[in-house]
Amino acid sequence: MTYVYPVVSRRAGGVSVGINLNPNNACNWACVYCQVPDLVRGAAPEIDLAQLEAELRALLANILQGDFMQTRVPEGARRLNDIALSGNGEPTSAKAFPEVIELIGRVMADFNLKGKIKLVLITNGSLIDRPRVRAGLVKMAALNGEVWFKFDSATASGMRALNQTRLSPDKQFERLGMAAALCPTWLQTCVFARDGKAPDDAEQAAYLAAVTRIRDLSIPVQGVLLYGLARPSLQPQADRLSALPAAWLDAFAERIHAAGLPVKVSL
């Protein structure tokens, strides 16, 4: 398939139906921990909506009416958890993003899935201020939608080092507020060691200050999805990255919670 793929998600605790709007491996960011091979800078190509719909219907039929769960999924994970817009680049860069959400809604209705599973958007949030993206988020909210907004660093230097973008943290904070006002939104934060060192005190303090600011401004963020490196990066910096101990993630999660947001930790 070109656009649709299944995955047993450790974070979802079940089967997630992925939708990849960037089969050209193009993204406007280049996160150092990214698992996409041959990643290039750019945007999603034109989307063949008819093909996307046919692929989505075929996979859901196999999962819900065929033998996919019995033959492909470990016994403890045989549940359909969500449909997730993720894949090999920034999904909101697709010009047809709102049309894709409408398409997913039609298919969910036909399979009697509306209100029963999540529709998740995994995004770096950099394009949330575009009208077509905001229109898509409104449609997502009506489909039990949820935004996972990338928030690895609250400093300009951290965003340059980790996400390889020169976007302003303050501007990203504005986009976060836009997303949270339109659709339930979680911060999605990947933490890891670079050159054997965990994020330094200044990075941690800036992140916690951002969490406190979210609380103080009553931005309706649901919480933080905090996770570490579970799979190897396929980027040039991969040999500089390593996983942090579970105890480090748990301790940082406690500090985030104390600063004002609930946390879900995935190793």
Side-chain angles (χ1 to χ4, degrees):
M1 293 187 178
T2 298
Y3 299 112
V4 180
Y5 62 98
V7 63
V8 178
S9 171
R10 76 185 193 281
R11 280 179 280 174
V15 174
S16 176
V17 171
I19 295 181
N20 178 19
L21 300 183
N22 303 75
N24 58 351
N25 293 4
C27 190
N28 60 341
W29 287 17
C31 300
V32 295
Y33 54 82
C34 185
Q35 300 155 18
V36 174
D38 303 317
L39 183 70
V40 297
R41 296 278 187 162
E46 294 293 327
I47 305 300
D48 184 333
L49 295 174
Q51 181 178 347
L52 170 57
E53 182 167 353
E55 291 181 7
L56 181 58
R57 288 183 182 278
L59 182 56
L60 286 175
N62 197 7
I63 290 171
L64 297 171
Q65 301 158 3
D67 62 358
F68 180 88
M69 290 293 194
Q70 291 70 33
T71 60
R72 302 293 185 88
V73 182
E75 188 171 348
R78 289 174 183 168
R79 53 181 289 274
L80 177 60
N81 185 79
D82 59 63
I83 296 172
L85 289 136
S86 180
N88 294 7
E90 174 50 44
T92 63
S93 68
K95 293 178 181 178
F97 177 71
E99 290 79 14
V100 168
I101 303 303
E102 288 182 357
L103 180 160
I104 295 169
R106 289 197 307 272
V107 175
M108 289 176 69
D110 289 347
F111 280 89
N112 194 29
L113 292 173
K114 289 181 69 172
K116 296 182 179 179
I117 65 171
K118 289 283 187 184
L119 173 58
V120 178
L121 169 66
I122 301 176
T123 176
N124 63 32
S126 63
L127 306 177
I128 296 295
D129 48 0
R130 297 187 177 182
R132 60 175 174 77
V133 178
R134 295 201 303 273
L137 295 191
V138 171
K139 297 176 189 297
M140 280 191 62
L143 295 170
N144 198 28
E146 195 169 270
V147 176
W148 293 6
F149 189 107
K150 187 182 295 295
F151 197 80
D152 296 328
S153 174
T155 70
S157 59
M159 291 180 69
R160 284 196 299 272
L162 304 183
N163 309 124
Q164 299 196 87
T165 178
R166 293 188 175 275
L167 291 180
S168 158
D170 285 340
K171 189 64 177 178
Q172 275 296 90
F173 200 90
E174 289 180 23
R175 294 186 180 102
L176 171 64
M178 292 178 189
L182 296 173
C183 188
T185 297
W186 289 78
L187 300 185
Q188 183 187 222
T189 301
C190 185
V191 288
F192 49 89
R194 297 179 75 236
D195 301 323
K197 298 178 181 179
D200 63 25
D201 291 345
E203 274 292 319
Q204 294 180 51
Y207 187 97
L208 295 171
V211 171
T212 299
R213 184 181 174 193
I214 290 168
R215 180 198 64 194
D216 292 347
L217 294 176
S218 299
I219 298 173
V221 170
Q222 306 297 302
V224 176
L225 305 174
L226 185 69
Y227 66 107
L229 289 183
R231 302 182 185 92
S233 166
L234 294 180
Q235 306 313 308
Q237 304 91 337
D239 60 356
R240 299 180 60 192
L241 314 182
S242 58
L244 289 166
W248 194 100
L249 268 72
D250 289 338
F252 192 49
E254 290 179 5
R255 296 176 68 195
I256 295 170
H257 187 265
L261 287 177
V263 187
K264 296 180 181 180
V265 179
S266 299
L267 300 178

